[in-house]
Amino acid sequence: VSTDMTSLRILFLLFGVYAVESSTYVRWGRTHCPGATIIYSGRAAGSPWFDRGGTSDYLCLTNVPSYDYTPDGSNNNYYSKLYGVEYDILGDRKGPSDTSISSPLKVVSQNNMPCAVCASYGRNEVLMIPGTDRCPTGWSEEYDGYLGTEPGHIQRGRTICIDEDAESLGDLRSHSEHYVSPIVLMKAYTSNLPSGYNSQQFLTCVVCTRA
């Protein structure tokens, strides 16, 4: 490996061939990549809340799917399901017009979540930091927002950073609340966490990159 790397460096010096480093990340809740290069935009998806199995990840599905296999019509029910992620920010099927609950992402509640896969050229490291909206010294901010995950009464899942300026794709459920993968914001209960955490505040997050 060392010899190969030395040969590459010699080629760069002799022929002026330079590799442009980049880091990629998903911008959850947005359809584009302000300040970065968009690779594709899509739809956030996950396993439905009523399934015990499936994926614990959130996926950024492309808007233009392609398939390599066409089923022959047989009834094969041995598979896992994916549904679009819905902002369940206010809970209990409450939409943005409800005035009884406040939330930083209230405007998108009960709507469907977009996503964008972004590339930041000239930087080769990417990091999501939970609990703050500021990057450490030497790092550049790509975006900040709020931590989101599965509702606590359903199942455990992956935590993602939802953009503070989140967009929505509208309500695509046809008012059928069962067929969604819901996502909620998070709070930190402070009995054994550092003293700065406040259980009344929604937890923030930031996505950072550096060269």
Side-chain angles (χ1 to χ4, degrees):
V1 174
S2 177
T3 302
D4 291 341
M5 291 304 296
T6 300
S7 299
L8 284 173
R9 292 190 184 98
I10 292 172
L11 285 172
F12 293 158
L13 291 172
L14 290 176
F15 299 104
V17 179
Y18 296 95
V20 178
E21 296 178 333
S22 67
S23 57
T24 58
Y25 58 91
V26 179
R27 192 153 182 165
W28 298 103
R30 295 299 293 270
T31 58
H32 55 291
C33 303
T37 300
I38 189 166
I39 299 174
Y40 71 90
S41 61
R43 172 75 186 279
S47 292
W49 64 268
F50 51 81
D51 274 0
R52 295 179 62 186
T55 179
S56 61
D57 281 340
Y58 290 106
L59 305 176
C60 188
L61 291 183
T62 175
N63 287 324
V64 187
S66 61
Y67 297 94
D68 289 333
Y69 176 77
T70 301
D72 60 7
S74 60
N75 187 22
N76 183 354
N77 292 317
Y78 197 70
Y79 57 86
S80 186
K81 305 179 186 73
L82 279 178
Y83 288 97
V85 173
E86 181 183 86
Y87 301 105
D88 198 22
I89 303 301
L90 304 182
D92 298 325
R93 310 300 301 155
K94 292 182 172 67
S97 62
D98 190 282
T99 59
S100 64
I101 302 176
S102 63
S103 168
L105 298 180
K106 178 178 178 178
V107 68
V108 296
S109 187
Q110 302 307 318
N111 285 279
N112 292 273
M113 180 190 292
C115 55
V117 176
C118 311
S120 183
Y121 290 100
R123 300 176 183 140
N124 61 1
E125 293 182 275
V126 61
L127 175 68
M128 190 276 277
I129 306 177
T132 183
D133 58 3
R134 298 182 179 92
C135 291
T137 301
W139 292 75
S140 299
E141 179 180 324
E142 298 295 328
Y143 75 95
D144 64 273
Y146 298 91
L147 289 177
T149 192
E150 294 271 3
H153 66 281
I154 295 179
Q155 59 193 9
R156 293 181 179 175
R158 180 185 169 196
T159 301
I160 60 175
C161 188
I162 306 173
D163 197 294
E164 66 171 351
D165 295 317
E167 303 168 280
S168 80
L169 297 173
D171 186 348
L172 306 180
R173 297 174 293 106
S174 299
H175 302 288
S176 175
E177 66 179 284
H178 300 291
Y179 301 110
V180 297
S181 180
I183 194 167
V184 297
L185 302 186
M186 303 180 75
K187 294 181 178 179
Y189 282 76
T190 56
S191 60
N192 59 349
L193 292 173
S195 60
Y197 283 93
N198 183 337
S199 62
Q200 300 303 308
Q201 298 288 333
F202 291 106
L203 286 168
T204 56
C205 54
V206 64
V207 173
C208 310
T209 55
R210 73 174 179 181

